[in-house]
Amino acid sequence: MKIWIDADACPLPVKTIVFRASQRVGVPVTLVANQRLQTPPSPLITAVHVSQGFDEADHYLVEQATVSDLVITADIPLAARLVAKGIPALNPRGELYTVDNIQERLALRNLKEELRAAGSVTGGPAPYHDRDKQAFANSLDRWLARRRVR
């Protein structure tokens, strides 16, 4: 079991929560990004620097993560690729992507992208709030608890 973080756009509070959980339960964490990252001094926490190409971090995560791992990502198309392979994906707001919800999330994301391109909708995701941080922490704890029982 390992936790992977799609680190290019991951909020700092999410990384901090994952790092603490890693130390608490002894699960390894790997951050993947197309830029160099600083990680806390821990043998459980590593970083992988991929090339600057489009979706390189995504490709790496899909190739390296396994069904016993968890990938933290806000990237819905990446989450869809992971879920299709049976790999759990959790977004920074605490929603676990599943086969039951990923297609709806992907369709909504694509619709919003089309509306933004047409100028009908502007802006991006809502700001990251304390309630999002708490929802993420709770979801991560639930996922870790289910894995420790097995």
Side-chain angles (χ1 to χ4, degrees), residues 4 22 36 60 62 95 97-98 110 143:
W4 298 85
S22 168
R36 298 227 180 263
Y60 185 89
V62 170
E95 180 181 16
Y97 295 113
T98 66
N110 292 342
W143 188 85

Side-chain angles (χ1 to χ4, degrees), residues 120-135:
S120 300
V121 173
T122 58
Y128 196 74
H129 293 288
D130 284 343
R131 69 180 172 270
D132 298 315
K133 185 168 57 171
Q134 187 62 52

